[in-house]
């Protein structure tokens, strides 16, 4: 591009006709000997040369002479008042609860499709219930026996296939045997009180005489105690987990003028929730209507304050005075950036060139609000006033626009960038327990499918175990039940002459571990090319199994049992399982809120897997005959 000679560089940069790069030279003394006496004198031999250098560096223009003295800031803050988990019902936003707990909360798994879980938690709840009865003077011998008869821990039968989930694992079997018939199942009682789907316990004919009003108060106290112990959704509308996409999805909104400003998060799974997890949904006018009993919409709060800017300082910062030395703890000469390491180059440029040009304005924002900066004026040491514009203002598609701490705007058409500040009620630190259950989704190119490998499964006793060990114990226990029953299948048809001498056999399908749950490709309804992954099942092959059709192997984690109770299909979007795989785990999260209250909830984490894998699954194979096979 040809540029006329009369066009100055300032005009070109102001018009932003094309990207322009800048370069500066740092003027500093470089002694050639170990004697610093003369170098520290800073002798000026040629004053004219010094003046020309000042002219070249632009010091005569005085653009960098004034320092900020006071700042006047005008803001408008509005409280976030709506929250919506996934595509559920809109509810009021509660800033008195950690937002991580609000979004990540999932129901505590008291049972799976095959077996009751969380024996340790059930025992704690049962002990608490008996303690509440004792405090009210109601726990006599007939009362305790009633709850043991109706809500006691049942002793598993090692000869019953329905109890295989307990008896197959020795440590779990020991736990149940120790408390069976002696302790109350508080989880069963709590679920009945919550669902209210069975007759009330004190309406049963063998219930001892007692004041029902006092019992109602004990029930309320019992449910309040458990809700404070574990924060979990009381209603499905609070569950933001999206099983089809293996991530959380939620949205929030705040009043804005005559409408709303909607912010949505479509891919949250990191465990660190903050403003950068949400985007502005520009094309969504409203999040929906709140329930009738919801509080009225908040009113914007406008604040104008005068503040004093403070210079930004860091260790090793280059000193702007000639007679002072910098701290050696930060040596920029040791930073060796590569040509592609833009972040290091920006760090060096900031530290060496703009060392004393950055100022910090302290300003407090209310939690759970969306704040808009209406205006910012600055007065420097010369009494000059400046109107400060946002660095990242302009069109979102402008490639020259650069800013930080601003939310991404999702819109079908070009719109101005959004410079509002969102401060969510989040916490800085969360304690996480060991994974209670874990599933590794891997691609198996040889079998042309995806496997959901249950690497950690929850045991009925409340602990967890390796899915590979548990699968072997469970299969071996079921095989032992058949072997102990003495069932022997009748022999097959006689072999033909000569076939008994063959060294190979035909195998319809080989067996794989039971903790490998298949997901097969399936066409999306209404599309001829789009593919999604559908949960399938492998047959359980047992020797001498009297059943005409083998049982289907079902998953033992709640993550993979989605819609299995109602015999529904579970689909996962095909793009959610890349070649690197995906690890999904559920664990307990714990944090302390600003008022000292402790919150514990059950949440999901998703991380990157370890690459592809192979199950070794094969069909219609020719295998060598074992030596002891007739």
């Amino acid at each position: 591009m040809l540029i006329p000679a009369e066009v100055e560089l300032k005009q070109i940069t102001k018009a932003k006709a094309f990207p322009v790069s800048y370069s500066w030279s740092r003027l500093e003394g470089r002694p050639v000997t170990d004697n610093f006496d003369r170098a520290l004198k800073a002798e000026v031999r040629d004053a004219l040369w010094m003046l020309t250098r000042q002219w070249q560096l632009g010091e005569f223009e005085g653009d960098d002479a004034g320092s900020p003295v006071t700042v006047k800031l005008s803001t408008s803050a509005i409280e976030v008042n709506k929250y919506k988990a996934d595509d559920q019902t809109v509810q009021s936003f509660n800033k008195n609860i950690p937002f991580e707990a609000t979004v990540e909360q999932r129901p505590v798994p008291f049972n799976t499709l095959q077996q009751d879980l969380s024996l340790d938690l059930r025992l704690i709840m049962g002990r608490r219930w008996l303690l509440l009865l004792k405090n009210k003077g109601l726990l006599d011998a007939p009362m305790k026996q009633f709850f043991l008869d109706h809500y006691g821990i049942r002793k598993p039968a090692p000869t019953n296939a329905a109890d295989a989930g307990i008896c197959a694992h020795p440590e779990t079997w020991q736990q149940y045997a120790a408390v069976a018939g002696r302790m109350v199942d508080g989880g069963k009682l709590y679920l009945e009180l919550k669902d209210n789907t069975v007759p009330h316990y004190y309406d049963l004919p063998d219930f001892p005489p007692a004041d029902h009003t006092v019992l109602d108060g004990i029930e309320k106290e019992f449910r309040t105690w458990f809700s404070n112990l574990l924060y979990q959704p009381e209603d499905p509308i609070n569950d933001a987990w999206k099983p089809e996409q293996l991530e959380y999805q939620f949205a929030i909104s705040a009043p804005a003028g005559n409408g709303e400003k909607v912010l949505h998060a479509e891919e949250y799974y990191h465990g660190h929730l903050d403003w950068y997890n949400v985007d502005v949904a520009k094309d969504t006018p409203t999040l929906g209507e709140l329930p009738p009993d919801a509080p009225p919409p908040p009113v914007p709060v406008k604040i104008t304050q005068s503040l004093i800017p403070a210079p930004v300082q860091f260790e090793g910062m280059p000193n702007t005075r000639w007679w002072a030395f910098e701290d050696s703890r930060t040596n920029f000469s040791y930073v060796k950036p590569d040509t592609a390491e833009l972040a290091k180059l920006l760090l060096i440029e900031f530290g060496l060139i703009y060392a004393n040009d950055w100022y910090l304005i302290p300003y407090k924002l209310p939690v759970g609000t969306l704040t808009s900066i209406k205006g910012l004026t600055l007065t420097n040491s010369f009494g000059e006033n400046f109107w400060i514009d946002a660095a990242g203002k302009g069109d979102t598609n402008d490639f020259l626009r650069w800013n930080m701490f601003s939310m991404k705007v999702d819109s079908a058409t070009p719109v101005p960038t959004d410079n509002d500040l969102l401060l969510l009620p989040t916490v800085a630190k969360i304690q996480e327990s060991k994974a209670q259950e874990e599933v590794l989704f891997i691609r198996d190119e040889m079998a042309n499918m995806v496997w959901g490998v249950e690497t950690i499964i929850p045991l009925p006793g409340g602990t967890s175990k390796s899915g590979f060990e548990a699968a072997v114990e469970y299969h071996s226990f079921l095989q032992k039940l058949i072997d102990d029953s003495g069932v022997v299948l009748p022999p097959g048809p006689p072999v033909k002459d000569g076939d008994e001498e063959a060294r190979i056999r035909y195998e319809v399908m080989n067996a794989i571990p039971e903790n490998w749950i298949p997901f097969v490709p399936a066409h999306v309804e209404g599309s001829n090319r789009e593919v999604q992954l559908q949960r399938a099942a492998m047959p359980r092959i047992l020797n001498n199994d009297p059943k005409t059709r083998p049982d289907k192997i079902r998953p033992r984690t709640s993550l993979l049992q989605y819609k299995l109770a109602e015999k529904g299909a579970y689909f996962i979007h095909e793009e959610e399982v890349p070649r690197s795989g995906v690890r999904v785990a559920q664990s307990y999260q714990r944090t302390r809120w600003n008022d000292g209250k402790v919150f514990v909830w059950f949440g999901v984490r998703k991380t990157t897997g370890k690459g592809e894998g192979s199950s070794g699954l094969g069909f219609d194979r020719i295998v060598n005959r074992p030596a002891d096979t007739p």
Side-chain angles (χ1 to χ4, degrees):
M1 177 184 295
L2 296 178
I3 302 175
E6 63 273 9
V7 179
E8 295 184 0
L9 181 60
K10 288 185 176 180
Q11 298 176 0
I12 297 175
T13 56
K14 186 176 181 180
K16 297 182 179 181
F18 51 87
V20 177
S21 61
Y22 301 89
S23 63
W24 291 268
S25 298
R26 179 176 173 88
L27 186 62
E28 58 184 10
R30 294 182 179 272
V32 295
T33 67
D34 57 359
N35 186 1
F36 291 88
D37 295 339
R38 185 173 181 181
L40 293 176
K41 291 180 180 180
E43 299 175 347
V44 178
R45 299 286 180 162
D46 191 346
L48 182 60
W49 177 87
M50 182 65 71
L51 292 175
T52 56
R53 290 297 294 172
Q54 286 182 290
W55 171 77
Q56 288 178 339
L57 295 175
E59 293 185 9
F60 291 161
E61 297 181 6
D63 291 342
D64 194 30
S67 300
V69 177
T70 60
V71 167
K72 181 170 288 187
L73 180 64
S74 178
T75 62
S76 177
I78 186 72
E79 291 186 1
V80 178
N81 67 325
K82 291 184 181 180
Y83 169 75
K84 182 179 180 181
D86 192 16
D87 54 355
Q88 306 293 336
T89 307
V90 180
Q91 50 187 312
S92 297
F93 185 87
N94 191 352
K95 66 178 183 180
N96 297 321
I97 297 174
F99 197 43
E100 292 92 344
T102 302
V103 173
E104 299 176 7
Q105 57 175 326
R106 300 216 67 210
V108 176
F110 277 108
N111 49 62
T112 60
L113 189 65
Q114 303 97 336
Q115 187 65 53
D116 291 341
L117 298 178
S118 304
L119 175 63
D120 51 354
L121 183 57
R122 291 172 179 268
L123 294 176
I124 294 174
M125 297 172 69
R127 185 173 59 184
R128 182 70 179 189
W129 174 257
L130 296 181
L131 179 62
L132 293 176
L133 292 177
K134 180 180 179 181
N135 293 338
K136 297 296 182 179
L138 299 179
L139 189 61
D140 52 8
M143 181 69 73
K144 183 176 182 179
Q145 189 61 43
F146 169 84
F147 283 102
L148 288 176
D149 294 340
H150 291 271
Y151 300 97
I153 303 296
R154 183 182 60 85
K155 186 176 182 179
T159 58
N160 188 2
D163 293 334
I166 298 176
C167 300
H169 313 295
E171 64 273 34
T172 305
W173 193 357
Q174 293 175 357
Q175 288 178 277
Y176 270 83
V179 299
R182 301 171 54 194
M183 299 297 293
V184 173
D185 187 348
K188 180 181 178 182
L189 176 63
Y190 174 81
L191 294 177
E192 287 190 4
L193 296 177
K194 177 183 175 182
D195 298 339
N196 207 13
T197 56
V198 295
H200 208 278
Y201 61 89
Y202 55 61
D203 293 332
L204 298 177
D206 57 339
F207 185 76
D211 189 350
H212 292 183
T213 304
V214 177
L215 290 172
D216 291 339
I218 294 176
E219 293 175 12
K220 183 179 180 180
E221 186 177 351
F222 177 64
R223 296 183 61 174
T224 302
W225 165 82
F226 184 72
S227 62
N228 293 330
L229 179 67
L230 289 173
Y231 187 75
Q232 59 175 334
E234 295 288 342
D235 196 281
I237 64 173
N238 297 324
D239 195 351
W241 178 250
K242 191 80 171 178
E244 298 85 356
Q245 296 179 324
L246 303 178
E247 59 202 16
Y248 290 102
Q249 291 188 4
F250 65 91
I252 58 178
S253 72
N258 297 326
E260 295 181 22
K261 187 169 187 177
V262 179
L263 312 171
H264 64 174
E266 295 184 346
E267 295 183 68
Y268 170 65
Y269 51 83
H270 321 81
H272 306 284
L273 183 56
D274 214 328
W275 60 268
Y276 46 76
N277 294 117
V278 300
D279 302 328
V280 180
K282 200 69 176 182
D283 299 332
T284 304
T286 178
L287 195 60
E289 296 295 331
L290 285 171
D293 56 346
V299 179
V301 178
K302 297 182 180 181
I303 301 176
T304 301
Q305 287 185 341
S306 295
L307 306 167
I308 299 177
V312 176
Q313 296 181 349
F314 55 90
E315 294 182 353
M317 176 178 174
N319 202 302
T320 57
R321 298 181 61 87
W322 176 263
W323 300 103
F325 290 95
E326 296 87 357
D327 193 341
S328 63
R329 281 179 289 184
T330 302
N331 194 339
F332 288 99
S333 62
Y334 287 168
V335 181
K336 306 295 182 182
D338 197 4
T339 55
E341 294 178 327
L342 181 60
K344 288 185 179 180
L345 292 172
L346 291 175
L347 175 63
I348 295 176
E349 182 177 5
F350 161 74
L352 296 180
I353 299 178
Y354 300 106
N356 63 335
D357 292 344
W358 291 85
Y359 285 80
L360 180 67
I361 302 174
Y363 187 75
K364 294 183 179 180
L365 294 178
V367 176
T369 59
L370 192 66
T371 303
S372 175
I373 299 179
K374 298 300 181 181
L376 176 64
T377 61
L378 180 145
T379 303
N380 65 6
S381 54
F382 294 130
E384 298 174 315
N385 296 320
F386 297 92
W387 179 266
I388 308 300
D389 291 326
K393 70 175 183 178
D395 198 311
T396 55
N397 295 332
D398 185 2
F399 70 95
L400 292 176
R401 184 183 64 86
W402 182 89
N403 64 349
M404 296 178 64
F405 308 111
S406 64
M407 294 176 290
K408 177 177 174 290
V409 180
D410 290 339
S411 177
T413 58
V415 294
T417 184
D418 189 282
N419 292 317
D420 289 353
L421 300 175
L422 176 65
L423 185 58
L424 295 172
T426 57
V427 292
K429 184 67 175 179
I430 296 178
Q431 294 177 311
E432 185 173 356
S433 70
K434 294 182 179 179
Q436 298 296 304
E437 55 182 56
E438 179 184 275
V439 178
L440 183 63
F441 291 91
I442 61 174
R443 287 190 173 272
D444 186 353
E445 296 297 339
M446 296 301 296
N448 192 25
M449 65 174 62
V450 168
W451 295 94
V453 184
E454 297 179 315
T455 53
I456 298 177
I457 67 165
L459 294 180
T463 59
S464 300
K465 194 170 190 176
S466 167
F468 300 95
E469 297 181 17
V472 173
E473 293 177 350
Y474 194 82
H475 186 275
S476 301
F477 184 83
L478 294 178
Q479 183 63 61
K480 185 176 182 301
L481 290 180
I482 296 178
D483 296 341
D484 293 344
S485 64
V487 176
V488 179
L489 297 180
V495 297
K496 298 181 180 179
D497 295 340
D499 285 354
E500 66 275 7
E501 300 297 333
R503 298 182 179 180
I504 58 176
R505 287 288 184 266
Y506 170 71
E507 186 178 68
V508 178
M509 183 187 71
N510 64 329
I512 61 171
E514 291 196 1
N515 62 317
W516 288 58
I517 307 301
F519 283 79
V520 298
H523 284 292
V524 177
E525 186 177 356
S527 174
N528 294 328
R529 303 186 62 180
E530 190 176 357
V531 176
Q532 56 188 352
L533 305 172
Q534 181 179 3
R535 180 188 56 206
M538 298 292 292
R540 176 177 288 120
I541 307 300
L542 300 171
N543 296 330
N544 294 322
D545 191 353
K547 299 178 181 178
T548 56
R549 298 182 60 181
D551 293 333
K552 296 179 180 179
I553 299 176
R554 298 302 186 185
R556 300 181 64 180
T557 58
S558 60
L559 287 169
L560 295 186
Q561 287 190 354
Y562 177 63
K563 289 187 176 181
L564 196 58
E566 56 267 27
K567 299 182 179 179
Y570 177 25
F571 295 96
I572 297 178
H573 293 288
E574 193 265 344
E575 64 272 11
E576 297 299 333
V577 186
R579 295 186 63 180
S580 59
V582 173
R583 172 188 173 272
V584 183
Q586 287 198 125
S587 58
Y588 287 100
Q589 319 292 327
R590 182 184 185 272
T591 191
R592 188 180 295 276
W593 193 225
N594 51 23
D595 59 355
K597 184 178 180 180
V598 175
F599 284 86
V600 180
W601 67 94
F602 199 59
V604 190
R605 295 285 184 270
K606 183 176 76 170
T607 55
T608 306
K610 299 181 179 179
E612 299 181 359
S614 176
S615 61
L617 178 64
F619 299 90
D620 301 328
R621 305 196 312 169
I622 299 297
V623 298
N624 293 326
R625 186 190 69 179
D628 56 347
T629 302

